[in-house]
């Protein structure tokens, strides 16, 4: 693409193109049809910018916020600042399924809980993103901020194609994207196919996370989701289809997390009951026993609910919802095969004053009665998720790609 002009200055244009690997649930307000709008992609781009920028800027959260304001703009009170880059979605080849989604394979149904009946964007759809520089804003930005900002933007576009996705349940592997083109003013910034081989993928991850190797992990150091020494990344073996790998990951998560019904999962397979203590805690709670702890599996994200016999429901949440620190991404290789990339990004689990709230209620014919509610201090152990990643390596022929500590 030719460089555009604004006045006497030239504008940088960064172009990124992606292919959708798994169904993407990103749509209208009523979820009946699918669409991709610039604000949706911009939100994801900002997320991965922050995830990468903390280590790149030496762990200085204030510097991250300042540079984010330059690149994306701010609208806080009187400190309104226009963005250095505007974002457009154009020329995309979107395969929109207006029919209701439904996939009964157990692993996919588990990971995609709540998506049934929604419209979606089909696999193999193409998305074209343009980041267009505002030359008038650029003149006010110093050279150092400009260069590091542009580098982080391009790295964030890469991260979306390795770790992330778009839409609902993107952390569960839906809406996964593969980056197929990244150009600055028509000049290629990546080789094609991007990360098409396992060795190339390893090298790219090491380059993207080079600074993260220097950032120690503690709750205070990592106040939000950001790469650090605590990050762990694994990949699965190769599969023929994206849905096959997603379903297998989902089934292994069921085996790892579920107590089962009458000790069974998938109707006939014996449950491993790895978290039997969580199961017993839930039943003790509905029997009226006092509890001073919460289930260990809350580390996978909140809310974390139980639907028990006799109409009992246990709701476990916090004041602010906590998304999962585990990211599942389905990646397409040059040979047409697919792998899962699973990334644990530990960070401060809840805000300082937030606790984990547990309530129970019983659903009866005459309505729902809230019985009691308590608030507990969060006691989070990321080793629970590391155990799941180790399981994926063992059961799905996986390999550890990045694990510093």
């Amino acid at each position: 693409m030719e460089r555009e002009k604004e006045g006497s200055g030239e504008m940088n244009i960064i172009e990124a193109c992606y292919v959708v690997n798994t169904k993407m649930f990103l749509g209208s307000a009523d979820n009946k049809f699918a669409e991709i709008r610039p604000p949706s992609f911009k939100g994801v781009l900002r997320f991965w910018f922050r995830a990468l920028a903390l280590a790149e800027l030496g762990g200085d959260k204030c510097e991250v916020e300042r540079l984010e304001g330059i690149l994306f703009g701010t609208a806080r009170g009187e400190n309104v600042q226009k963005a250095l880059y505007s974002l457009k979605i154009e020329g995309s080849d979107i395969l929109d399924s207006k029919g209701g989604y439904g996939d009964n394979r157990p692993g996919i149904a588990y990971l995609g809980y709540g998506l049934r009946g929604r419209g979606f964007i089909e696999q193999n759809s193409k998305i074209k993103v343009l980041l267009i520089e505002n030359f008038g804003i650029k003149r006010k930005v110093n050279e150092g901020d400009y260069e590091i900002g542009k580098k982080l933007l391009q790295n964030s576009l890469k991260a979306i194609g390795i770790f992330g996705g778009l839409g609902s349940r993107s952390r569960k592997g839906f809406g996964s994207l593969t980056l197929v083109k990244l150009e600055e003013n028509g000049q290629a910034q990546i080789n094609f196919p991007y990360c098409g081989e396992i060795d190339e993928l390893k090298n790219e991850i090491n380059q993207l996370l080079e600074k993260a190797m220097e950032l120690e992990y503690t709750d205070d150091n990592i106040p939000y989701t950001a790469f650090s020494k605590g990050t762990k990344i694994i990949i699965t073996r190769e599969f023929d289809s994206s849905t096959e790998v997603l379903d297998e990951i989902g089934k292994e998560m069921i085996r790892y997390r579920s107590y089962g019904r009458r000790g069974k999962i998938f109707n006939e397979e014996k449950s491993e009951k790895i978290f039997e203590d969580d199961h017993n805690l839930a039943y003790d709670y509905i029997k009226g026993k006092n509890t001073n702890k919460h289930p260990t599996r809350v580390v996978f994200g909140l809310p974390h609910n139980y639907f028990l016999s006799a109409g009992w429901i246990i709701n476990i949440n916090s004041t602010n919802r906590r998304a999962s620190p585990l990211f599942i991404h389905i990646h397409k290789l040059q040979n047409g095969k697919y792998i899962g990339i699973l990334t644990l990004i530990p960070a401060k689990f809840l805000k300082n004053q937030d606790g984990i709230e547990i309530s129970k209620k019983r659903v009866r014919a005459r309505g729902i009665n809230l019985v009691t509610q308590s608030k507990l201090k969060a006691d989070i152990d990321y080793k629970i998720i590391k155990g799941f990643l180790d399981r994926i390596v063992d059961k799905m022929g996986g390999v550890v790609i990045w694990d510093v500590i």
Side-chain angles (χ1 to χ4, degrees):
M1 177 174 290
E2 295 182 0
R3 182 177 294 192
E4 297 185 22
K5 294 187 177 182
E6 182 182 288
S8 59
E10 294 182 328
M11 287 193 299
N12 241 18
I13 297 179
I14 299 172
E15 179 182 340
C17 296
Y18 298 88
V19 173
V20 178
N21 294 329
T22 52
K23 289 180 173 62
M24 179 184 294
F25 296 86
L26 187 69
S28 59
D30 60 6
N31 292 320
K32 295 301 182 183
F33 63 92
E35 61 179 348
I36 299 175
R37 300 183 299 116
S40 299
F41 194 94
K42 187 175 182 179
V44 172
L45 185 62
R46 290 183 83 144
F47 174 88
W48 290 107
F49 166 83
R50 290 192 292 266
L52 290 165
L54 191 66
E56 193 72 30
L57 299 175
D60 190 333
K61 183 182 176 183
C62 292
E63 270 297 287
V64 174
E65 292 176 351
R66 187 184 67 83
L67 189 58
E68 181 182 2
I70 292 172
L71 297 174
F72 297 98
T74 59
R76 296 180 181 176
E78 297 178 357
N79 300 319
V80 177
Q81 181 176 339
K82 289 186 177 180
L84 176 58
Y85 290 90
S86 60
L87 189 149
K88 292 184 178 180
I89 307 287
E90 68 173 43
S92 300
D93 182 11
I94 303 299
L95 305 173
D96 175 14
S97 174
K98 296 180 176 60
Y101 170 73
D103 193 319
N104 293 322
R105 281 173 286 187
I108 291 179
Y110 181 75
L111 294 174
Y113 180 78
L115 297 177
R116 183 170 296 277
R118 292 183 54 174
F120 56 88
I121 292 171
E122 282 280 15
Q123 182 180 346
N124 296 322
S125 295
K126 297 177 178 62
I127 302 171
K128 179 179 177 181
V129 180
L130 298 179
L131 292 172
I132 304 171
E133 187 180 279
N134 184 322
F135 184 75
I137 301 297
K138 180 187 174 182
R139 288 182 297 182
K140 302 174 184 178
V141 177
N142 71 56
E143 190 67 18
D145 288 343
Y146 176 78
E147 291 300 330
I148 188 65
K150 185 172 68 171
K151 173 188 173 182
L152 279 167
L153 270 184
Q154 292 197 16
N155 284 348
S156 301
L157 291 166
K158 294 175 182 178
I160 291 171
I162 295 177
F163 308 112
L166 282 174
S168 297
R169 304 296 184 274
S170 61
R171 297 194 189 200
K172 296 293 193 293
F174 291 91
S176 292
L177 302 170
T178 289
L179 181 63
V180 295
K181 179 180 180 182
L182 181 62
E183 293 184 352
E184 181 182 349
N185 300 321
Q187 299 298 311
Q189 303 298 303
I190 60 171
N191 295 324
F192 179 79
Y194 179 62
C195 294
E197 303 283 350
I198 298 297
D199 286 343
E200 183 188 356
L201 176 65
K202 292 179 183 178
N203 292 336
E204 189 68 5
I205 288 174
N206 284 328
Q207 289 183 31
L208 287 174
L209 304 189
E210 182 180 6
K211 292 291 186 180
M213 296 183 71
E214 303 170 8
L215 186 58
E216 296 289 342
Y217 170 72
T218 67
D219 275 359
D220 292 332
N221 278 358
I222 316 296
Y224 64 88
T225 301
F227 292 107
S228 71
K229 278 187 175 182
T231 298
K232 182 170 183 174
I233 304 168
I234 65 110
I235 61 172
T236 69
R237 71 176 186 273
E238 297 176 11
F239 289 79
D240 290 332
S241 71
S242 62
T243 52
E244 185 182 4
V245 60
L246 191 62
D247 187 49
E248 286 301 317
I249 292 171
K251 287 192 290 187
E252 286 305 329
M253 187 172 282
I254 293 171
R255 293 185 177 106
Y256 185 70
R257 294 183 58 176
S258 179
Y259 185 87
R261 291 186 179 275
R262 299 182 178 87
K264 300 286 186 180
I265 56 174
F266 312 134
N267 295 322
E268 57 184 24
E269 187 176 318
K270 187 177 180 180
S271 168
E272 297 178 34
K273 300 182 181 179
I274 295 171
F275 297 98
E276 187 169 9
D277 286 349
D278 284 1
H279 171 85
N280 294 338
L281 187 151
Y283 273 96
D284 285 346
Y285 189 57
I286 64 171
K287 292 174 184 176
K289 294 183 180 181
N290 292 328
T291 180
N292 59 0
K293 62 180 181 179
H294 55 72
T296 57
R297 286 172 293 174
V298 298
V299 68
F300 281 96
L302 296 171
H304 174 74
N305 300 325
Y306 291 79
F307 299 89
L308 306 177
S309 58
W312 283 102
I313 301 173
I314 297 180
N315 299 113
I316 304 175
N317 210 338
S318 66
T319 303
N320 296 284
R321 177 181 177 272
R322 196 355 170 138
S324 176
L326 176 64
F327 295 78
I328 300 172
H329 172 91
I330 308 303
H331 190 77
K332 188 175 185 179
L333 298 172
Q334 183 176 359
N335 61 8
K337 304 283 189 178
Y338 293 86
I339 60 171
I341 303 176
L342 285 76
T343 305
L344 167 63
I345 310 181
K348 190 178 185 70
F349 195 74
L350 296 174
K351 294 182 179 180
N352 291 332
Q353 303 303 317
D354 284 359
I356 291 180
E357 300 170 356
I358 304 180
S359 63
K360 60 184 178 182
K361 56 188 176 183
R362 197 170 188 180
V363 182
R364 295 178 171 178
R366 295 181 181 179
I368 299 176
N369 298 320
L370 181 66
V371 179
T372 187
Q373 184 169 343
S374 58
K375 188 171 184 178
L376 303 172
K377 182 179 179 181
D379 183 16
I380 302 302
D381 186 359
Y382 284 109
K383 290 179 182 177
I384 299 295
I385 297 181
K386 288 185 178 182
F388 174 66
L389 296 182
D390 291 340
R391 181 188 185 92
I392 293 295
V393 169
D394 180 44
K395 302 294 186 180
M396 295 183 65
V399 177
V400 178
I401 293 292
W402 209 83
D403 189 15
V404 179
I405 57 175

